[in-house]
Amino acid sequence: MRSGGLTHILLVEDNAGDARLLRELLSEAGAGRFKLIHADRLASALTELSQTGIDVILLDLSLPDSHGTETLARVLAASNGIPIVVMTSLDDEELGLQLIQAGAQDYLVKGQVTAPLLTRALRYAIERKRLESELREKSRLLQSVLDSMADGVVMADQAGMFQVWNPAAERIVGAGPANVGIGQWSDHYGLFLPDKTTLYPPDDLPLARAVRGESVANVLVFLRRPDQAEGIWLSVNARPLRDENGRINGGVAVFRDITVAKRMEEALCETEERFRTIMDHSPALIFIKDLEGRYLQVNRRLETLIHLPNGSLLGKTDEDVFPPAQAAAYRANDRRVLEAGAPMEFEEAAAHPDGPQTFLVVKFPLFDAQGRCYALCGIATDITDRKREEEERQKLAKDRLLLLESTGEGIYGMDRQGRCTFINRAAARMLGYQASEVLGQEMHQLIHHSFADGSALPRARCRIYEAFISGQGCQVEDEVFWRKDGTSFPVSYSSFPVLEQGEITGAVVNFVDCTARKRLEEERSQRAARLLQQQSALIGLTQSRLFQSSPLMATLQHITEVAAKTLAVERISVWRYTDDRTAIQCVDLYILSRDRHLSEVTLQVASCPSYFQALATSHIIAADDAQRDERTAELAGYLSKIGISSMMDVPIYLFGRLEGVICHEQVGPPRRWTDDEQMFAVAMSNLIALAYEQWERRRAEEQLQQSQDRLRNLTARLESVQEEERTRIAREVHDELGQALTAVKLELSRLRDQLPQAPLSLVDTLQSIYALVDTTIQSVRRIATELRPVVLDQLGLVPAIEWQAREFQSRTAIQCTLDIYLRSVSLSQAGSTAMFRIFQEILTNVARHARASAVNINLQEQAGALVLEVRDNGRGVTDAELSNPKSLGLVGMRERALLLGGETTIKGTPGKGTTVKVRIPLDERRPE
């Protein structure tokens, strides 16, 4: 409704007649009261809704661009809460109900609309919409209140069905409303009586009573939730709900979680009970007085001690109980505490049948919630025995101090705050303080604040304080203490806790200055490093290949360099006697600073007799002051010229004979030669001797090898000459003698033909001569073949081997098996001859010594070499026979193979035979 009473109506109607009729009815109902806005399409209506303020909508459901309830739905979506009155041409109550349920405020049947009816419908629609909005807003506010309440609120009807259950209720109970009756509430939600074990009777629940018309307040209910084993305490208020006629139609319950308050109440009760128990069982005397000095509360210990004959101490003053002087002293101390308003500590004496007693009393005021003092509390501890113990302790302390002052170790004590409680003279002297300067000081900050490198040492990492924390002592070897002058010194200290009545009250630290020991350890460490360096140098030299392959001078230079660098000696030299032993000559001199080698310096033996006598009779000359030492003083001129201050000379022995010396010469300040350095120098001397011996041995081996090579060449020449001579003799025997015998045989044959009538004896003689000539011809052929087989020269090695095997088998009846995997070989004539002769020697040995019945012969090419392998099944050659220098045949086989760069291996197995393998390299050129 707009200001001035003008109602804006949006008419959505596509029928012009109906629209005109409705306009007339509205004019009839009240001209100037209504402003009609007409739209004949749904689209234009929606546009109007978005642009114009409308109070109510008259809607026809049948439009050109929309029809039926869809039209209502679309208008509702765009109306933003504007009331809608639907116009329909059907008079159908069911349809009207559906439209109202769908969101319309009312509906009118076309043809039945009158001006009053139309006006009333529009008015009611607008008013109902307003009331609905107000109701909706109140409901929202009520719901907001319920949602924001910290207390749980639930409402139920008379059947026990929950109508309201706010979030707080769900949070407290741990569940939402359930569709269960009143009789199942306790079991379903876990509601118990205050004894925590008995389910709450359903009819006695506050909400159940409210539903019956009762009002209850502050009812205690224990709720046991599945997710909270300890349970929750609830304080519940409930009252009935009534309608406008006063009839009960349900109930409402408001409850809150009072678990914290309940537990605080229980804790307070427990605290009070605990306080009472502690007071009654405390060995101290505890009391509370009012401001006038009357006792309000005392513990059992105090009542027992005073033991009043006429009853309790409560309500009485000190004057009523104690002697006047004693009571006055107590009361004076009370007033001091009350006036100061703060705790104070006193020693108060009390008379006792066993003698005077002393109490340490702590008194302090008690204040109420407004900060006003209303009473005084006192706690008194009997320190009579402690006083006596303190006197004994002081006496013991004097004795202990006397003991501490008599020791050379530093000792000091600390309390739990790390402050020095005592320190002996030795500790103060080592730290550079007077004892009075240290007492009461925080020891960590005073003497133990930093590491040796000056970096800060936090107290949390201080191992002295471990005695306080762990109660265990500790022993430390790697830290420093700091003197008054700011310098540090290494210490070895131990820290042990001080226990009094089972409690740690401090610690005792004793320490010693480790400077001398550290220096000794450092010297040992340096010596170990030197020894390790020397050992590494010796291992490196002994494992070096210099001794096996390098020239002698390179080996000597390497040794002198290693020795100079290892010992840090400026000059190291190697000297050797001349052949006539009248002088000693420098073979190599290494100068460390110049990294240079020199030589060709000679020293005459006659010029330094004492030195050379000492060298011949001593295993080492270690002269720390070389110019004054009687063994080296003769060299003073040479030494002073170069600036040599110390010498260490070790003789060199070769094959047991003194042959030279290795000299170590220190330039600069004098040097004391240590035992380790002397041992290292002796080792260097031995290595030099080893180098010389190795050199001598290599030279002898080279000479021997050269001699063997010459001998082997001579042997090869002899073998070649022998083969040439054999060939020549075989050729002459075969050609000349063979031809002569053949001619004799022919003449004998002609003579036999010319004497057909000769006597029978003459014919027999001629026949015998003829046979002898044939035999001689065969012998000549055999001898020629043995001297030089023709098959070897004409057919080659492979056929020659085959021929020799057949001939050997036919001659000895030893079965020969040939395994030859090649037709021809590219072996030189000398190689073929050597291989054939070796094969002949093998077969000869088999026939003479093996006692074999079979021989297997294998000839093949392997890895660029020709390999001949001959195996027999005889007795097997022995190791003694193989190593026998008189076995010239075996030696000959090996030498023939060696001359051609090959090898011969012979292996015998007792009872199983002998295997001979010959390997000769083939020529590089192969036959195509």
Side-chain angles (χ1 to χ4, degrees), residues 453-468:
D453 60 2
S455 59
L457 171 59
R459 177 169 175 170
R461 294 178 57 189
C462 176
R463 285 182 277 183
I464 292 176
Y465 285 91
E466 289 182 3
F468 294 133

PDB file of all heavy atoms in Angstrom, residues 453-468:
ATOM      1  N   ASP A 453      87.789 -22.408  22.696  1.00  0.00           N
ATOM      2  CA  ASP A 453      87.939 -21.499  21.560  1.00  0.00           C
ATOM      3  C   ASP A 453      87.321 -20.131  21.795  1.00  0.00           C
ATOM      4  O   ASP A 453      87.311 -19.286  20.897  1.00  0.00           O
ATOM      5  CB  ASP A 453      87.328 -22.132  20.303  1.00  0.00           C
ATOM      6  CG  ASP A 453      85.846 -22.424  20.472  1.00  0.00           C
ATOM      7  OD1 ASP A 453      85.286 -22.106  21.547  1.00  0.00           O
ATOM      8  OD2 ASP A 453      85.247 -22.978  19.531  1.00  0.00           O
ATOM      9  N   GLY A 454      86.788 -19.888  22.981  1.00  0.00           N
ATOM     10  CA  GLY A 454      86.204 -18.595  23.309  1.00  0.00           C
ATOM     11  C   GLY A 454      84.722 -18.500  23.057  1.00  0.00           C
ATOM     12  O   GLY A 454      84.089 -17.514  23.449  1.00  0.00           O
ATOM     13  N   SER A 455      84.119 -19.511  22.394  1.00  0.00           N
ATOM     14  CA  SER A 455      82.672 -19.473  22.155  1.00  0.00           C
ATOM     15  C   SER A 455      81.929 -19.719  23.462  1.00  0.00           C
ATOM     16  O   SER A 455      82.414 -20.414  24.360  1.00  0.00           O
ATOM     17  CB  SER A 455      82.279 -20.519  21.118  1.00  0.00           C
ATOM     18  OG  SER A 455      82.648 -21.818  21.556  1.00  0.00           O
ATOM     19  N   ALA A 456      80.747 -19.135  23.563  1.00  0.00           N
ATOM     20  CA  ALA A 456      79.992 -19.171  24.808  1.00  0.00           C
ATOM     21  C   ALA A 456      79.556 -20.594  25.145  1.00  0.00           C
ATOM     22  O   ALA A 456      79.180 -21.373  24.267  1.00  0.00           O
ATOM     23  CB  ALA A 456      78.771 -18.255  24.700  1.00  0.00           C
ATOM     24  N   LEU A 457      79.639 -20.922  26.427  1.00  0.00           N
ATOM     25  CA  LEU A 457      79.166 -22.203  26.943  1.00  0.00           C
ATOM     26  C   LEU A 457      77.897 -21.946  27.753  1.00  0.00           C
ATOM     27  O   LEU A 457      77.971 -21.468  28.880  1.00  0.00           O
ATOM     28  CB  LEU A 457      80.244 -22.864  27.819  1.00  0.00           C
ATOM     29  CG  LEU A 457      79.822 -24.113  28.607  1.00  0.00           C
ATOM     30  CD1 LEU A 457      79.328 -25.190  27.661  1.00  0.00           C
ATOM     31  CD2 LEU A 457      80.971 -24.633  29.447  1.00  0.00           C
ATOM     32  N   PRO A 458      76.714 -22.222  27.196  1.00  0.00           N
ATOM     33  CA  PRO A 458      75.471 -21.969  27.944  1.00  0.00           C
ATOM     34  C   PRO A 458      75.413 -22.826  29.205  1.00  0.00           C
ATOM     35  O   PRO A 458      75.922 -23.953  29.239  1.00  0.00           O
ATOM     36  CB  PRO A 458      74.368 -22.357  26.947  1.00  0.00           C
ATOM     37  CG  PRO A 458      75.036 -22.389  25.609  1.00  0.00           C
ATOM     38  CD  PRO A 458      76.452 -22.770  25.864  1.00  0.00           C
ATOM     39  N   ARG A 459      74.758 -22.265  30.199  1.00  0.00           N
ATOM     40  CA  ARG A 459      74.633 -23.018  31.445  1.00  0.00           C
ATOM     41  C   ARG A 459      73.866 -24.322  31.230  1.00  0.00           C
ATOM     42  O   ARG A 459      74.156 -25.325  31.877  1.00  0.00           O
ATOM     43  CB  ARG A 459      73.926 -22.152  32.489  1.00  0.00           C
ATOM     44  CG  ARG A 459      73.683 -22.885  33.809  1.00  0.00           C
ATOM     45  CD  ARG A 459      73.238 -21.963  34.901  1.00  0.00           C
ATOM     46  NE  ARG A 459      72.898 -22.684  36.115  1.00  0.00           N
ATOM     47  CZ  ARG A 459      72.658 -22.124  37.285  1.00  0.00           C
ATOM     48  NH1 ARG A 459      72.737 -20.813  37.392  1.00  0.00           N
ATOM     49  NH2 ARG A 459      72.351 -22.843  38.339  1.00  0.00           N
ATOM     50  N   ALA A 460      72.926 -24.314  30.276  1.00  0.00           N
ATOM     51  CA  ALA A 460      72.136 -25.518  30.024  1.00  0.00           C
ATOM     52  C   ALA A 460      73.009 -26.669  29.538  1.00  0.00           C
ATOM     53  O   ALA A 460      72.659 -27.838  29.687  1.00  0.00           O
ATOM     54  CB  ALA A 460      71.040 -25.225  29.000  1.00  0.00           C
ATOM     55  N   ARG A 461      74.177 -26.339  28.943  1.00  0.00           N
ATOM     56  CA  ARG A 461      75.072 -27.392  28.443  1.00  0.00           C
ATOM     57  C   ARG A 461      76.227 -27.661  29.397  1.00  0.00           C
ATOM     58  O   ARG A 461      77.121 -28.449  29.077  1.00  0.00           O
ATOM     59  CB  ARG A 461      75.618 -26.996  27.080  1.00  0.00           C
ATOM     60  CG  ARG A 461      74.556 -26.932  25.989  1.00  0.00           C
ATOM     61  CD  ARG A 461      75.142 -26.483  24.665  1.00  0.00           C
ATOM     62  NE  ARG A 461      76.235 -27.340  24.238  1.00  0.00           N
ATOM     63  CZ  ARG A 461      77.025 -27.074  23.203  1.00  0.00           C
ATOM     64  NH1 ARG A 461      76.832 -25.954  22.506  1.00  0.00           N
ATOM     65  NH2 ARG A 461      77.995 -27.897  22.865  1.00  0.00           N
ATOM     66  N   CYS A 462      76.225 -26.996  30.530  1.00  0.00           N
ATOM     67  CA  CYS A 462      77.315 -27.159  31.494  1.00  0.00           C
ATOM     68  C   CYS A 462      77.156 -28.502  32.193  1.00  0.00           C
ATOM     69  O   CYS A 462      76.134 -28.773  32.836  1.00  0.00           O
ATOM     70  CB  CYS A 462      77.298 -26.014  32.502  1.00  0.00           C
ATOM     71  SG  CYS A 462      78.553 -26.192  33.794  1.00  0.00           S
ATOM     72  N   ARG A 463      78.177 -29.340  32.090  1.00  0.00           N
ATOM     73  CA  ARG A 463      78.077 -30.677  32.669  1.00  0.00           C
ATOM     74  C   ARG A 463      78.244 -30.665  34.185  1.00  0.00           C
ATOM     75  O   ARG A 463      77.913 -31.650  34.853  1.00  0.00           O
ATOM     76  CB  ARG A 463      79.105 -31.598  32.014  1.00  0.00           C
ATOM     77  CG  ARG A 463      78.693 -32.009  30.604  1.00  0.00           C
ATOM     78  CD  ARG A 463      79.666 -32.961  29.960  1.00  0.00           C
ATOM     79  NE  ARG A 463      80.786 -32.241  29.378  1.00  0.00           N
ATOM     80  CZ  ARG A 463      81.765 -32.829  28.691  1.00  0.00           C
ATOM     81  NH1 ARG A 463      81.762 -34.113  28.511  1.00  0.00           N
ATOM     82  NH2 ARG A 463      82.751 -32.103  28.166  1.00  0.00           N
ATOM     83  N   ILE A 464      78.736 -29.557  34.740  1.00  0.00           N
ATOM     84  CA  ILE A 464      78.799 -29.454  36.201  1.00  0.00           C
ATOM     85  C   ILE A 464      77.393 -29.492  36.780  1.00  0.00           C
ATOM     86  O   ILE A 464      77.140 -30.115  37.815  1.00  0.00           O
ATOM     87  CB  ILE A 464      79.542 -28.165  36.608  1.00  0.00           C
ATOM     88  CG1 ILE A 464      81.031 -28.264  36.227  1.00  0.00           C
ATOM     89  CG2 ILE A 464      79.387 -27.894  38.095  1.00  0.00           C
ATOM     90  CD1 ILE A 464      81.820 -27.015  36.509  1.00  0.00           C
ATOM     91  N   TYR A 465      76.457 -28.845  36.066  1.00  0.00           N
ATOM     92  CA  TYR A 465      75.084 -28.758  36.571  1.00  0.00           C
ATOM     93  C   TYR A 465      74.302 -30.038  36.360  1.00  0.00           C
ATOM     94  O   TYR A 465      73.160 -30.137  36.801  1.00  0.00           O
ATOM     95  CB  TYR A 465      74.376 -27.578  35.919  1.00  0.00           C
ATOM     96  CG  TYR A 465      74.826 -26.259  36.502  1.00  0.00           C
ATOM     97  CD1 TYR A 465      75.877 -25.558  35.947  1.00  0.00           C
ATOM     98  CD2 TYR A 465      74.217 -25.740  37.639  1.00  0.00           C
ATOM     99  CE1 TYR A 465      76.326 -24.354  36.490  1.00  0.00           C
ATOM    100  CE2 TYR A 465      74.645 -24.545  38.192  1.00  0.00           C
ATOM    101  CZ  TYR A 465      75.703 -23.848  37.611  1.00  0.00           C
ATOM    102  OH  TYR A 465      76.121 -22.681  38.165  1.00  0.00           O
ATOM    103  N   GLU A 466      74.904 -31.015  35.655  1.00  0.00           N
ATOM    104  CA  GLU A 466      74.222 -32.297  35.546  1.00  0.00           C
ATOM    105  C   GLU A 466      74.040 -32.943  36.914  1.00  0.00           C
ATOM    106  O   GLU A 466      73.121 -33.729  37.122  1.00  0.00           O
ATOM    107  CB  GLU A 466      75.017 -33.226  34.631  1.00  0.00           C
ATOM    108  CG  GLU A 466      74.973 -32.827  33.162  1.00  0.00           C
ATOM    109  CD  GLU A 466      75.735 -33.801  32.290  1.00  0.00           C
ATOM    110  OE1 GLU A 466      76.232 -34.803  32.844  1.00  0.00           O
ATOM    111  OE2 GLU A 466      75.825 -33.563  31.076  1.00  0.00           O
ATOM    112  N   ALA A 467      74.937 -32.607  37.841  1.00  0.00           N
ATOM    113  CA  ALA A 467      74.797 -33.147  39.197  1.00  0.00           C
ATOM    114  C   ALA A 467      73.503 -32.680  39.838  1.00  0.00           C
ATOM    115  O   ALA A 467      72.879 -33.405  40.619  1.00  0.00           O
ATOM    116  CB  ALA A 467      76.000 -32.729  40.042  1.00  0.00           C
ATOM    117  N   PHE A 468      73.087 -31.417  39.515  1.00  0.00           N
ATOM    118  CA  PHE A 468      71.822 -30.916  40.059  1.00  0.00           C
ATOM    119  C   PHE A 468      70.635 -31.611  39.407  1.00  0.00           C
ATOM    120  O   PHE A 468      69.645 -31.935  40.058  1.00  0.00           O
ATOM    121  CB  PHE A 468      71.697 -29.406  39.822  1.00  0.00           C
ATOM    122  CG  PHE A 468      72.703 -28.589  40.581  1.00  0.00           C
ATOM    123  CD1 PHE A 468      73.419 -27.599  39.953  1.00  0.00           C
ATOM    124  CD2 PHE A 468      72.925 -28.820  41.924  1.00  0.00           C
ATOM    125  CE1 PHE A 468      74.338 -26.835  40.643  1.00  0.00           C
ATOM    126  CE2 PHE A 468      73.848 -28.058  42.629  1.00  0.00           C
ATOM    127  CZ  PHE A 468      74.565 -27.070  41.987  1.00  0.00           C
TER     128      PHE A 468
END
